[in-house]
Each structure stands twice: as structure tokens, then as C-alpha cells.
Amino acid sequence: MYQSWEELENECKKCTKCKLSNNRNSVVIGTGNKNAKIMFVGEGPGADEDMQGIPFVGKAGKLMDKAFEGVGIKREEVYIANIVKCRPPNNRNPEYEEAEACMEYLESQIKLINPEIIVLLGNVALKNILGKEYGITSSRGKWFEKDGIKHLPTFHPAALLRDETKKIDFWNDLKKLQFV
Ligand code: URA
């Protein structure tokens, strides 16, 4: 576990704990308010994120920004990170070993931020944080308590790009955060 942001960021930048480090342009650590009440966890960087070093700046991120605007969430008030910090090739799901190798970084981020709520974006975040037995379709929009933190699973914004009918559920889930 890393006790300071400096230590965490230095370790992340030189990390070679899994093979995702081989082809990265950037380590995408996270962005936003390090004292946030709400933290979002996605899956892993895509091509745009890998180039810019910032999570959720591509197509899915732009859609998430739009939804944030709609419900009054400010990107700079929340903190956004991913299960894995380096881009999986062709945007495939991170493998178990990759997620496992990277988990200490995310756990340290959670400890340092100490958020009230963690929003789990999609199945990869859900299963790696709450457990393999959970599925996004049945869990989304429901609250789960873990380590004294409320967890809210919802769809990954990329899923909304593939299936527009999911947008309304995503918006309704985000609305649950409005009064935090
Ligand atoms: N998808 C993710 O899960 N994370 C990002 O940072 C970008 C796209």
C-alpha cells in the first residue's frame, strides 16, 4: 500500500508488474479531486487515454461528461480512475493477472481519497471490486457497502455507445449522486 500520492505516482510511472506496461505510451493513473466524495472506477485506458495520460477523454468519456453535465456533476469535483492503469491491446478486457497486479494502486488511491461513494463503471470494475459473482445488469442502480464505502454499479459509458437504450438507466443511476 502506498502512503502518499508522490510515492504512488512514482511507482505507477515505472511499473512493469504486468505485460500491459510493454506497449504503453502513458500510465493513466487518475484525474480529479484527491479529496473527492465520489470516485468513479472504469476498466482501463483506451487509445486516447493512453496518448493523453488522462482517463475517459475519448468517445466514452465525452458521453460521460455530457451525462455529468446533465445531472450537475463536475468532473473536477470527483476523482476518476480505472482498474488497470495501462491500455490493454485492442481495448480487450484486462486479464485477471493484470487487474490483480494493478489493484494495489487502486486500493491506495481509495485509501488516500477516502471517498463516501465509489461508482463502478461496468462489469470489469464491478467484478474486480465487489466480486466475480456480481453482474452489471442485475446490480446496476443498487447500493452495496464495502469497507465502509457505498458502491454504486452502473453501465460503462462505452456500453451506452453500443446500446442507446441503456442511457436512461445510466442517467438515473448518476442522479442518485446529485445530493451527495
Ligand atoms: N474506458 C475506461 O474504462 N476507462 C477509460 O479511461 C477510458 C475508457
Side-chain angles (χ1 to χ4, degrees), residues 42-46 49 55-56 82 156:
E43 185 176 316
E49 291 77 17
F56 285 100
N82 282 306
H156 190 287

PDB file of all heavy atoms in Angstrom, residues 42-46 49 55-56 82 156, ligand 1:
ATOM      1  N   GLY A  42     -13.385   3.004 -13.780  1.00  0.00           N
ATOM      2  CA  GLY A  42     -13.668   2.369 -15.067  1.00  0.00           C
ATOM      3  C   GLY A  42     -12.846   1.107 -15.228  1.00  0.00           C
ATOM      4  O   GLY A  42     -12.451   0.469 -14.245  1.00  0.00           O
ATOM      5  N   GLU A  43     -12.574   0.770 -16.488  1.00  0.00           N
ATOM      6  CA  GLU A  43     -11.929  -0.512 -16.785  1.00  0.00           C
ATOM      7  C   GLU A  43     -10.425  -0.317 -17.021  1.00  0.00           C
ATOM      8  O   GLU A  43      -9.600  -0.794 -16.256  1.00  0.00           O
ATOM      9  CB  GLU A  43     -12.638  -1.018 -18.035  1.00  0.00           C
ATOM     10  CG  GLU A  43     -12.259  -2.361 -18.502  1.00  0.00           C
ATOM     11  CD  GLU A  43     -13.131  -2.760 -19.696  1.00  0.00           C
ATOM     12  OE1 GLU A  43     -14.363  -2.540 -19.680  1.00  0.00           O
ATOM     13  OE2 GLU A  43     -12.564  -3.293 -20.655  1.00  0.00           O
ATOM     14  N   GLY A  44     -10.120   0.427 -18.049  1.00  0.00           N
ATOM     15  CA  GLY A  44      -8.719   0.667 -18.377  1.00  0.00           C
ATOM     16  C   GLY A  44      -8.649   1.677 -19.494  1.00  0.00           C
ATOM     17  O   GLY A  44      -9.638   1.912 -20.177  1.00  0.00           O
ATOM     18  N   PRO A  45      -7.476   2.288 -19.691  1.00  0.00           N
ATOM     19  CA  PRO A  45      -7.354   3.305 -20.736  1.00  0.00           C
ATOM     20  C   PRO A  45      -7.589   2.735 -22.127  1.00  0.00           C
ATOM     21  O   PRO A  45      -7.241   1.577 -22.400  1.00  0.00           O
ATOM     22  CB  PRO A  45      -5.891   3.760 -20.600  1.00  0.00           C
ATOM     23  CG  PRO A  45      -5.343   3.125 -19.377  1.00  0.00           C
ATOM     24  CD  PRO A  45      -6.244   2.038 -18.959  1.00  0.00           C
ATOM     25  N   GLY A  46      -8.172   3.556 -22.988  1.00  0.00           N
ATOM     26  CA  GLY A  46      -8.248   3.243 -24.418  1.00  0.00           C
ATOM     27  C   GLY A  46      -7.156   4.015 -25.140  1.00  0.00           C
ATOM     28  O   GLY A  46      -6.236   4.550 -24.501  1.00  0.00           O
ATOM     29  N   GLU A  49      -6.826   7.806 -24.130  1.00  0.00           N
ATOM     30  CA  GLU A  49      -6.331   7.939 -22.763  1.00  0.00           C
ATOM     31  C   GLU A  49      -4.845   7.597 -22.708  1.00  0.00           C
ATOM     32  O   GLU A  49      -4.061   8.264 -22.021  1.00  0.00           O
ATOM     33  CB  GLU A  49      -7.121   7.014 -21.818  1.00  0.00           C
ATOM     34  CG  GLU A  49      -8.568   7.414 -21.603  1.00  0.00           C
ATOM     35  CD  GLU A  49      -9.515   7.057 -22.748  1.00  0.00           C
ATOM     36  OE1 GLU A  49      -9.118   6.205 -23.574  1.00  0.00           O
ATOM     37  OE2 GLU A  49     -10.626   7.615 -22.817  1.00  0.00           O
ATOM     38  N   PRO A  55      -7.746   9.653 -17.812  1.00  0.00           N
ATOM     39  CA  PRO A  55      -8.854   8.720 -18.042  1.00  0.00           C
ATOM     40  C   PRO A  55     -10.078   9.372 -18.686  1.00  0.00           C
ATOM     41  O   PRO A  55     -10.345  10.557 -18.474  1.00  0.00           O
ATOM     42  CB  PRO A  55      -9.218   8.209 -16.639  1.00  0.00           C
ATOM     43  CG  PRO A  55      -8.492   9.024 -15.664  1.00  0.00           C
ATOM     44  CD  PRO A  55      -7.467   9.852 -16.382  1.00  0.00           C
ATOM     45  N   PHE A  56     -10.791   8.588 -19.441  1.00  0.00           N
ATOM     46  CA  PHE A  56     -12.089   8.991 -20.015  1.00  0.00           C
ATOM     47  C   PHE A  56     -12.043  10.319 -20.775  1.00  0.00           C
ATOM     48  O   PHE A  56     -12.783  11.251 -20.485  1.00  0.00           O
ATOM     49  CB  PHE A  56     -13.165   9.021 -18.923  1.00  0.00           C
ATOM     50  CG  PHE A  56     -13.607   7.641 -18.515  1.00  0.00           C
ATOM     51  CD1 PHE A  56     -13.110   7.059 -17.355  1.00  0.00           C
ATOM     52  CD2 PHE A  56     -14.490   6.898 -19.287  1.00  0.00           C
ATOM     53  CE1 PHE A  56     -13.483   5.765 -16.973  1.00  0.00           C
ATOM     54  CE2 PHE A  56     -14.871   5.613 -18.921  1.00  0.00           C
ATOM     55  CZ  PHE A  56     -14.381   5.050 -17.771  1.00  0.00           C
ATOM     56  N   ASN A  82      -9.174   3.932 -13.040  1.00  0.00           N
ATOM     57  CA  ASN A  82      -9.501   2.684 -13.722  1.00  0.00           C
ATOM     58  C   ASN A  82      -8.959   1.481 -12.958  1.00  0.00           C
ATOM     59  O   ASN A  82      -8.063   1.629 -12.124  1.00  0.00           O
ATOM     60  CB  ASN A  82      -8.863   2.687 -15.115  1.00  0.00           C
ATOM     61  CG  ASN A  82      -9.639   3.523 -16.120  1.00  0.00           C
ATOM     62  OD1 ASN A  82     -10.840   3.338 -16.314  1.00  0.00           O
ATOM     63  ND2 ASN A  82      -8.949   4.462 -16.758  1.00  0.00           N
ATOM     64  N   HIS A 156     -20.978   0.851 -18.030  1.00  0.00           N
ATOM     65  CA  HIS A 156     -19.812   1.567 -18.548  1.00  0.00           C
ATOM     66  C   HIS A 156     -20.295   2.477 -19.679  1.00  0.00           C
ATOM     67  O   HIS A 156     -21.127   2.065 -20.498  1.00  0.00           O
ATOM     68  CB  HIS A 156     -18.798   0.544 -19.077  1.00  0.00           C
ATOM     69  CG  HIS A 156     -17.481   1.158 -19.413  1.00  0.00           C
ATOM     70  ND1 HIS A 156     -17.308   1.958 -20.521  1.00  0.00           N
ATOM     71  CD2 HIS A 156     -16.284   1.107 -18.780  1.00  0.00           C
ATOM     72  CE1 HIS A 156     -16.056   2.364 -20.547  1.00  0.00           C
ATOM     73  NE2 HIS A 156     -15.416   1.872 -19.504  1.00  0.00           N
TER      74      HIS A 156
HETATM   75  N1  URA B   1     -12.760   3.316 -20.745  1.00  0.00           N
HETATM   76  C1  URA B   1     -12.366   3.082 -19.476  1.00  0.00           C
HETATM   77  O1  URA B   1     -12.779   2.141 -18.846  1.00  0.00           O
HETATM   78  N2  URA B   1     -11.516   3.922 -18.947  1.00  0.00           N
HETATM   79  C2  URA B   1     -11.039   4.979 -19.582  1.00  0.00           C
HETATM   80  O2  URA B   1     -10.246   5.701 -19.001  1.00  0.00           O
HETATM   81  C3  URA B   1     -11.476   5.202 -20.892  1.00  0.00           C
HETATM   82  C4  URA B   1     -12.344   4.356 -21.455  1.00  0.00           C
END
